[in-house]
């Protein structure tokens, strides 16, 4: 049986645009609002998040399919997936501190929050629940990571412009950010029905 490239493409597009975790399921909002103040940190977090998402989805699929399913340990998947993500994020944390200390300090506490981010855990859980193959799991993780990065970059580009805008005092800061997120989420509903999986 060959690789179904169309299905893989549909998974990437669907998870990035149609079922974007931030704008359709409202997951990962703590990092979304915390890191989207500046474009530089948004891009850095997008790259880090995508890397962690893909590697943790791959490792979770391998552990789940090759160890947990044969041993009938599916009930432990949340604990095991959190452990896999935590181990990988800790490694990414150490590597980023050595490779790019400036970005490491700009991301601050949000880098550690990747471990408990609901999107990072939702992807392997979704992969296990849908019984995706290894390549489908990777495609779903790539799409989800790209979707989160897209959400961060869109929000950061708008919030940087708002720094110099004349926003009424009661709406400054997070209130206007929540309004913007709602408007962007409304725009993302235009993608619904684009691909039916």
């Amino acid at each position: 049986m060959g690789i179904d490239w169309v299905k893989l493409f549909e998974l990437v597009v669907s998870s990035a645009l149609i079922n974007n975790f931030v704008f359709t399921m409202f997951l990962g909002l703590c990092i979304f609002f915390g890191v989207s103040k500046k474009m530089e940190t948004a891009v850095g977090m997008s790259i880090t998040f995508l890397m962690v998402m893909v590697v943790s989805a791959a490792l979770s699929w391998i552990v789940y399919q090759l160890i947990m399913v044969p041993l009938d340990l599916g009930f432990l998947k949340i604990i095991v997936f959190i452990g896999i993500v935590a181990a990988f994020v800790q490694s990414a944390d150490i590597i980023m501190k050595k490779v790019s200390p400036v970005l490491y300090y700009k991301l601050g506490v949000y880098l550690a929050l990747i471990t408990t981010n609901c999107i990072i855990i939702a992807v392997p859980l979704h992969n296990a629940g849908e019984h995706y193959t290894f390549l489908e799991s990777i495609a779903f993780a790539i799409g989800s990571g790209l979707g989160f990065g897209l959400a961060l970059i869109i929000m950061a580009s708008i919030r940087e412009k708002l720094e110099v805008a004349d926003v009424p005092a009661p709406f400054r800061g997070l209130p206007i950010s929540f309004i913007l997120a709602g408007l962007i989420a409304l725009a993302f509903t235009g993608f619904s029905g684009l691909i039916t999986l």
Side-chain angles (χ1 to χ4, degrees):
M1 189 166 96
I3 298 170
D4 187 356
W5 294 105
V6 173
K7 170 110 189 244
L8 296 178
F9 178 72
E10 286 178 351
L11 275 170
V12 171
V13 171
S14 174
S15 55
L17 299 176
I18 301 162
N19 299 315
N20 185 293
F21 277 109
V22 175
F23 295 131
T24 60
M25 298 177 206
F26 308 107
L27 297 176
L29 294 180
C30 54
I31 292 179
F32 174 70
F33 285 115
V35 177
S36 63
K37 291 177 186 171
K38 299 285 178 200
M39 184 62 77
E40 184 182 5
T41 54
V43 170
M45 179 57 85
S46 299
I47 294 167
T48 307
F49 199 87
L50 178 64
M51 180 183 67
V52 169
M53 179 83 74
V54 171
V55 173
S56 64
L59 292 174
S60 297
W61 187 91
I62 291 167
V63 169
Y64 183 72
Q65 294 295 334
L66 301 181
I67 298 170
M68 296 175 69
V69 170
L71 296 175
D72 198 26
L73 297 173
F75 62 94
L76 292 174
K77 55 186 172 195
I78 292 178
I79 295 168
V80 171
F81 293 164
I82 288 174
I84 289 169
V85 171
F88 185 71
V89 169
Q90 188 62 36
S91 303
D93 188 77
I94 293 167
I95 291 168
M96 185 175 286
K97 192 172 187 178
K98 294 290 183 193
V99 173
S100 179
V102 175
L103 182 60
Y104 173 81
Y105 288 110
K106 283 187 179 180
L107 292 175
V109 72
Y110 298 105
L111 189 60
L113 283 177
I114 291 178
T115 305
T116 56
N117 190 296
C118 33
I119 298 174
I120 293 283
I121 302 303
V123 168
L125 288 173
H126 185 81
N127 289 340
E130 293 293 323
H131 307 291
Y132 285 153
T133 64
F134 182 74
L135 288 178
E136 289 171 349
S137 297
I138 297 298
F140 185 73
I142 289 171
S144 299
L146 290 174
F148 186 75
L150 179 66
L152 276 179
I153 290 168
I154 289 171
M155 191 66 164
S157 64
I158 297 171
R159 285 180 80 178
E160 280 191 347
K161 300 275 190 248
L162 283 176
E163 291 293 321
V164 295
D166 186 22
V167 178
F171 293 104
R172 288 187 191 135
L174 273 180
I176 195 70
S177 298
F178 278 110
I179 293 169
L180 284 172
L183 292 172
I184 298 167
L186 189 61
F188 265 68
T189 60
F191 293 117
S192 62
L194 191 64
I195 296 174
T196 313
L197 292 177

